[in-house]
Amino acid sequence: MIIQFFHHCILNASYKPDKTLKNNIIFSKITADDWPQIMAIENQTYPNPWPLKVMQDCQQAGYQCIKGTVSTKPNEIACYAFLMIGFEESNLLNISVNPVLQRQNIASQLLQRLLLISRINHAKNIWLEVRASNQAAINLYEKFHFKQIGTRKHYYQYIDASGQKIKEHALIMSRKVNL
Ligand SMILES: CC(C)(COP(=O)(O)OP(=O)(O)OC[C@H]1O[C@@H](n2cnc3c(N)ncnc32)[C@H](O)[C@@H]1OP(=O)(O)O)[C@@H](O)C(=O)NCCC(=O)NCCS
């Protein structure tokens, strides 16, 4: 009877792949050896990539500089982030996923880790700025209950790959660390 019940469940359950079981990420601190891989990802993912010096300054300043690797490929950087912790606040400065690994729940795992780090460091609120046209990132933050609380007009000003001068607003988004 019990066996029949389980057979019934197995045969009738519609198979739904669970993205959260894929690509388990191992997090650790960024080291000097990681800069070439990180810069390669940075240059592929942003129209206005950070220079290496800015990343090194974050590390020098003692910010949380975190990388993630997929457990099966420990030498390949899958994602990274820079988080500045202040008094009862944290500020997400950069979060990036290797383009070949995007849409596989990796940023979500990294963001969960950054919220944990913020919590451990007694941050009450977490803040970030995002380009107004960066819908993928805005969706990610909204999924994690960030709300837009302001706009910085023409915050991003850069020359894009085709040599065009770009001016773009930044959305300021925030959420409580503990919801
Ligand atoms: C934004 C970014 C970090 C998302 O990384 P990711 O690992 O692909 O994100 P996840 O797979 O964890 O997706 C989580 C949610 O983000 C949103 N999202 C991610 N990529 C998206 C895309 N291309 N289009 C629309 N929504 C997207 C979705 O809401 C998604 O949830 P869903 O899969 O249930 O729909 C990644 O696209 C990236 O590195 N972009 C370039 C760097 C960047 O812009 N960083 C943000 C700076 S503010």
Side-chain angles (χ1 to χ4, degrees):
M1 181 74 169
I2 291 173
I3 291 170
Q4 268 175 350
F5 172 73
F6 280 118
H7 266 151
H8 174 84
C9 292
I10 290 164
L11 290 172
N12 287 289
S14 58
Y15 175 68
K16 221 176 165 192
D18 184 351
K19 283 204 306 178
T20 59
L21 297 178
K22 243 174 87 181
N23 288 328
N24 265 332
I25 302 298
I26 295 163
F27 296 105
S28 56
K29 286 189 175 175
I30 290 172
T31 68
D33 293 343
D34 298 323
W35 294 131
Q37 274 195 67
I38 288 177
M39 284 312 297
I41 297 170
E42 181 77 10
N43 287 323
Q44 285 173 71
T45 48
Y46 290 97
N48 54 340
W50 274 12
L52 175 60
K53 174 83 169 58
V54 171
M55 298 193 181
Q56 288 171 328
D57 286 349
C58 287
Q59 203 178 37
Q60 197 78 35
Y63 297 171
Q64 297 282 334
C65 307
I66 308 286
K67 70 176 172 200
T69 52
V70 178
S71 49
T72 50
K73 291 185 181 166
N75 297 321
E76 288 176 26
I77 293 177
C79 60
Y80 57 86
F82 295 84
L83 182 76
M84 182 176 76
I85 311 259
F87 178 67
E88 296 189 349
E89 305 280 344
S90 67
N91 202 321
L92 178 53
L93 305 175
N94 184 323
I95 178 168
S96 311
V97 174
N98 187 328
V100 297
L101 293 170
Q102 289 178 5
R103 299 297 324 238
Q104 296 185 49
N105 204 46
I106 292 177
S108 300
Q109 291 180 65
L110 178 54
L111 200 44
Q112 268 159 2
R113 175 57 61 112
L114 298 170
L115 285 164
L116 176 66
I117 293 170
S118 300
R119 194 169 297 131
I120 290 167
N121 285 281
H122 311 291
K124 291 190 173 148
N125 295 293
I126 177 165
W127 301 80
L128 59 85
E129 274 125 15
V130 56
R131 274 181 298 115
S133 68
N134 192 350
Q135 199 56 52
I138 293 167
N139 289 354
L140 167 72
Y141 302 138
E142 284 179 343
K143 191 173 175 189
F144 277 80
H145 310 291
F146 282 80
K147 299 263 183 295
Q148 186 188 342
I149 50 119
T151 307
R152 286 191 213 285
K153 294 221 165 129
H154 308 304
Y155 181 74
Y156 297 103
Q157 301 198 18
Y158 56 91
I159 310 282
D160 74 6
S162 65
Q164 210 187 340
K165 197 172 174 194
I166 305 289
K167 277 187 182 178
E168 204 177 343
H169 300 332
L171 310 187
I172 305 167
M173 300 185 83
S174 172
R175 61 160 268 185
K176 287 191 187 310
V177 170
N178 293 314
L179 289 179

